[in-house]
C-alpha cells in the first residue's frame, strides 16, 4: 500500500493535486499526514487518474472543476477549459458598464464562465448566453443558479431580432494548421479552430454584430496574440473608438469597439 509521502515525492505530473482531489484534503493536510496509508479504493482511484494524466488528459477534466475569476466551474470534455487570459474580458466589461445597467450577450458561452461571472457580479444586468452545442449549454446551466437566458444556435442565429448593449465573445480563433493543437487534443476542436487564419468565426461576428447592438453598443472579442491588427481592420467599417488590450502575459488578447452612430 502507498502512503501520502510516496506521492509527495513523486515526479509524476500533478500527482499532488490528484492526491488532494482523491482524498478531499488540502495540501497542508498532506504535509502533516505524510504517513497516512491510502485505502485500496483510494489507491485504485488515484492510479486510474494518474494513468489518464500521463496520457495527456488535462487535470481540469479529471477533477471536473476549474476556477475562473472568483468562481469555480464544472468543466467536461464538451467545453473548453477556462483560461486566466479570458479574465481580461471580465475586467473590461465590468469597467465599461460600472454602476450601469447592461443588456449583455455572451456568444459561444461554453461552460458559461463569462456570462455567469458577469451576472454574478451584476445581478441587475440582463444576460443572454448562447452556444451551438447542446452539451455545452447543459454544462453552463449546471454552473449557474443565476437568472441567465440560455439559447442554442450558431452565433446570432440563436438570438434573432434581439439587440444588446454589449456583445462579448471568446470565439474559436486558432488556425487550422497551428502546431499548438497537438497539445489541445482533449478539448473540443470546434471551440478552438476557425479556418485557415483562425478568423472565420470572428469575421461572422463582426459582420453580423451591428444588427444586434443598441445605439452606441459595444463589441468585445478575445483573439489570438497575432490577430489584433487584422481584427481592427475588420472592425473599421462599422465600428469606432476601437481599443486594444494585452493580457497579463503582455500578449495582444482583446479588442473593444463601439458601433458607429
Amino acid at each position: 500500500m502507498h502512503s501520502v509521502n510516496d506521492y509527495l515525492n513523486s515526479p509524476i505530473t500533478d500527482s499532488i493535486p490528484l492526491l488532494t482531489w482523491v482524498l478531499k484534503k488540502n495540501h497542508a493536510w498532506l504535509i502533516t499526514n505524510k504517513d497516512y496509508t491510502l485505502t485500496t479504493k483510494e489507491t485504485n482511484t488515484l492510479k486510474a487518474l494518474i494513468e489518464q494524466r500521463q496520457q495527456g488528459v488535462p487535470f481540469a477534466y479529471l477533477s471536473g472543476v476549474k476556477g475562473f475569476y472568483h468562481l469555480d466551474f464544472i468543466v467536461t470534455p464538451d467545453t473548453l477549459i477556462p483560461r486566466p487570459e479570458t479574465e481580461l474580458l471580465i475586467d473590461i466589461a465590468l469597467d465599461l458598464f460600472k454602476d450601469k445597467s447592461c443588456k449583455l450577450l455572451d456568444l459561444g458561452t461554453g461552460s458559461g464562465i463569462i456570462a455567469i461571472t458577469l451576472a454574478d457580479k451584476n445581478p441587475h444586468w440582463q444576460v443572454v448566453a448562447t452556444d451551438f452545442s447542446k452539451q455545452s449549454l447543459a454544462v453552463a446551466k449546471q454552473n449557474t443558479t443565476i437568472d441567465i437566458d440560455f439559447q442554442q444556435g450558431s452565433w446570432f442565429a440563436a438570438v434573432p431580432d434581439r439587440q444588446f448593449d454589449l456583445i462579448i465573445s471568446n470565439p474559436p480563433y486558432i488556425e487550422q494548421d497551428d502546431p499548438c493543437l497537438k497539445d489541445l487534443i482533449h478539448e473540443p476542436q470546434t471551440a478552438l479552430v476557425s479556418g485557415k487564419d483562425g478568423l472565420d468565426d470572428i469575421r461572422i461576428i463582426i459582420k453580423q454584430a451591428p444588427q444586434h447592438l443598441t445605439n452606441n453598443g459595444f463589441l468585445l472579442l478575445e483573439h489570438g496574440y497575432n490577430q489584433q491588427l487584422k481584427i481592427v481592420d475588420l472592425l473599421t467599417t462599422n465600428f469606432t473608438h476601437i481599443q486594444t488590450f494585452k493580457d497579463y502575459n503582455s500578449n495582444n488578447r482583446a479588442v473593444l469597439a463601439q458601433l458607429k452612430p
Side-chain angles (χ1 to χ4, degrees), residues 4 33 39 43 56 70 77 83 121 145 148 151 153 163 180 212 238 240 246 248 261:
V4 164
N33 292 270
T39 66
T43 300
H70 67 300
R83 265 70 171 183
K121 287 286 188 180
T145 56
I148 293 176
Q151 296 292 331
Q163 291 188 318
C180 79
H212 298 274
N238 293 308
T240 186
K246 294 182 182 294
Y248 308 118

Side-chain angles (χ1 to χ4, degrees), residues 244-256:
T244 58
F245 299 85
K246 294 182 182 294
D247 62 25
Y248 308 118
N249 293 315
S250 296
N251 292 318
N252 292 332
R253 187 60 61 192
V255 61
L256 174 69

Side-chain angles (χ1 to χ4, degrees), residues 20 26 33 42 50-51 64 70-71 94-95 103 121 132 143 146 157 159 220 231 261:
T20 62
N26 60 31
N33 292 270
E42 290 168 344
I50 287 175
E51 286 178 6
H70 67 300
L71 299 171
L94 291 175
D95 184 62
K103 293 181 180 179
K121 287 286 188 180
F132 79 96
N143 274 321
I146 304 168
V159 285
L220 175 59
I231 292 172

Side-chain angles (χ1 to χ4, degrees), residues 89-147:
L89 300 184
I90 304 299
D91 289 335
I92 295 169
L94 291 175
D95 184 62
L96 186 65
F97 283 88
K98 187 175 182 180
D99 301 322
K100 298 178 184 176
S101 62
C102 179
K103 293 181 180 179
L104 169 70
L105 171 63
D106 174 23
L107 283 175
T109 196
S111 57
I113 58 171
I114 294 174
I116 294 168
T117 300
L118 288 172
D120 187 72
K121 287 286 188 180
N122 296 278
H124 58 288
W125 285 13
Q126 298 177 43
V127 179
V128 179
T130 74
D131 206 289
F132 79 96
S133 166
K134 288 182 180 179
Q135 293 84 356
S136 291
L137 285 177
V139 174
K141 290 175 182 178
Q142 279 185 277
N143 274 321
T144 186
T145 56
I146 304 168
D147 184 17

Side-chain angles (χ1 to χ4, degrees), residues 8-59:
L8 287 176
N9 298 317
S10 172
I12 298 172
T13 300
D14 285 336
S15 61
I16 294 176
L18 289 172
L19 183 60
T20 62
W21 181 255
V22 170
L23 298 181
K24 305 303 179 187
K25 304 292 185 180
N26 60 31
H27 197 184
W29 185 92
L30 299 182
I31 297 297
T32 56
N33 292 270
K34 292 180 179 181
D35 295 329
Y36 173 79
T37 301
L38 278 68
T39 66
T40 300
K41 181 179 180 181
E42 290 168 344
T43 300
N44 291 339
T45 300
L46 184 59
K47 284 183 177 179
L49 290 173
I50 287 175
E51 286 178 6
Q52 292 180 72
R53 189 68 189 94
Q54 290 177 322
Q55 293 167 8
V57 178
F59 176 79

